[in-house]
Amino acid sequence: MAVDEGLKIELGKQGVLVTSLQELYNWGRRNSIWPMQFGLACCAIEMIATTMARYDLARFGAEVFRPSPRQADMMIISGTVTKKMAPQVVRLYNQMAEPKYVIAMGACAISGGPFKQGYNVLKGIDRYIPVDVHIPGCPPRPEALLDAFITLQKKIDGQHLTGEGRPRHLDAEAQGEFPVPVQGEHDLEPASNPGVWTVPVVIR
Amino acid sequence: MASSPYFSLAVLFVAALCFGLTPLALAWLWAQVYSPAKPNAIKNAIYECGLESKGDAWVQFRSAYYLYAIIFLIFDVEAVFLLPFAVAFTGLGLAACLAMLVFVLLLVEGLAWAWAKGVLTWA
């Protein structure tokens, strides 16, 4: 039973607040996203700058960087994910409590960036964990991270509490574990998590 | 009952209990209705720095560390005493100089003893 948007505004003018459980839930969640204190490379410097007074991430309720994955809601993959670091990143993501979100910050985190042709850099963290927002840039400016943050807030705002399209943490059937890759002979094994992303077949 | 002097206290106690327990109960109810728990082995791991823990936390440290620490501490304290001694050296009498000499020699003797015992040899 949804209340008409115009009616809600009209009631608001009269001092009557009308809301639904879903709206209240999403309002609370989107305004208290605690990121994990976790920096990988140079993008982390921009991430730190975003939290400082000039860009002030605290305006969005996200200044509380948590040093433990148990207390964090969001992981900012800020920088190059090497193949040595990728298992740790995936394990930390697994250890976060639901609901959890990921922002892939910078060219390296989304695709491998300038090191894409290298042998030891993961070509995008979205091979192993579901990424909610990708930000390009090398490194992205703090404004770009703020934009990603607002995008994530909008995404959370649009999530439904029940029904088919409800997010993973509300769905008992949805996959909760993301397998941690191991160091193989030449590459990480498996090369990707098929539930998240499949490696495209290159036709030569 | 309401005339009892402790009645207001009891009311406040119940209110305080509700203040703490209601959010917990609501969170539990929310988890039951909407948000199913999905624990797994990786999520429940004890160590939370991204690496897997290895071995036992109950390990023994070598006693050699302890000996080094205690010798370091003695000479650290000695340095604290030597500094004011050096600053006031020109104005000191013979008795004060002798007292300081005894102090330093005692520590040197301790060092010689530790050396003779082979404490300073890392093995």
Side-chain angles (χ1 to χ4, degrees), chain A:
Chain A
M1 193 186 75
V3 178
D4 177 53
E5 201 61 38
L7 178 63
K8 208 184 278 181
I9 292 164
E10 193 56 44
L11 281 168
K13 281 178 188 162
Q14 304 298 322
V16 181
L17 180 71
V18 180
T19 186
S20 63
L21 200 57
Q22 177 180 307
E23 269 177 41
L24 200 64
Y25 178 57
N26 286 344
W27 170 79
R29 279 193 313 135
R30 82 175 137 84
N31 288 310
S32 62
I33 308 172
W34 290 2
M36 193 154 80
Q37 194 170 350
F38 176 73
L40 284 172
C42 20
C43 283
I45 304 297
E46 299 294 310
M47 180 180 77
I48 295 161
T50 315
T51 65
M52 294 294 149
R54 189 178 176 91
Y55 298 102
D56 200 13
L57 195 61
R59 288 177 291 166
F60 305 96
E63 76 280 17
V64 201
F65 273 74
R66 305 314 297 181
S68 162
R70 318 277 189 211
Q71 302 165 358
D73 300 305
M74 181 185 59
M75 191 183 209
I76 303 173
I77 311 288
S78 52
T80 318
V81 187
T82 57
K83 283 179 180 169
K84 190 159 187 176
M85 193 62 189
Q88 278 72 263
V89 175
V90 178
R91 195 172 287 118
L92 284 174
Y93 179 73
N94 271 295
Q95 289 178 350
M96 285 164 71
E98 297 268 15
K100 49 193 174 186
Y101 303 97
V102 178
I103 290 179
M105 183 182 183
C108 295
I110 65 179
S111 70
F115 312 110
K116 189 174 171 64
Q117 307 298 326
Y119 63 93
N120 64 340
V121 170
L122 189 69
K123 292 159 189 63
I125 190 62
D126 51 6
R127 287 175 177 231
Y128 293 112
I129 56 179
V131 175
D132 293 282
V133 186
H134 296 79
I135 338 171
C138 188
R141 287 201 43 89
E143 288 94 335
L145 185 56
L146 290 179
D147 182 58
F149 213 81
I150 295 162
T151 311
L152 182 63
Q153 285 188 325
K154 280 181 188 152
K155 180 177 177 171
I156 293 173
D157 229 8
Q159 287 181 334
H160 295 289
L161 207 50
T162 51
E164 264 319 291
R166 66 188 187 280
R168 190 178 68 232
H169 71 281
L170 300 174
D171 190 352
E173 303 299 315
Q175 176 197 24
E177 184 178 355
F178 295 85
V180 178
V182 291
Q183 305 287 349
E185 198 179 346
H186 301 295
D187 200 355
L188 286 171
E189 288 170 359
S192 74
N193 178 356
V196 180
W197 193 78
T198 41
V199 181
V201 180
V202 180
I203 301 162
R204 292 179 198 280

Side-chain angles (χ1 to χ4, degrees), chain B residues 111-121:
Chain B
L111 179 64
W113 178 82
W115 203 336
K117 278 277 189 185
V119 171
L120 299 185
T121 317

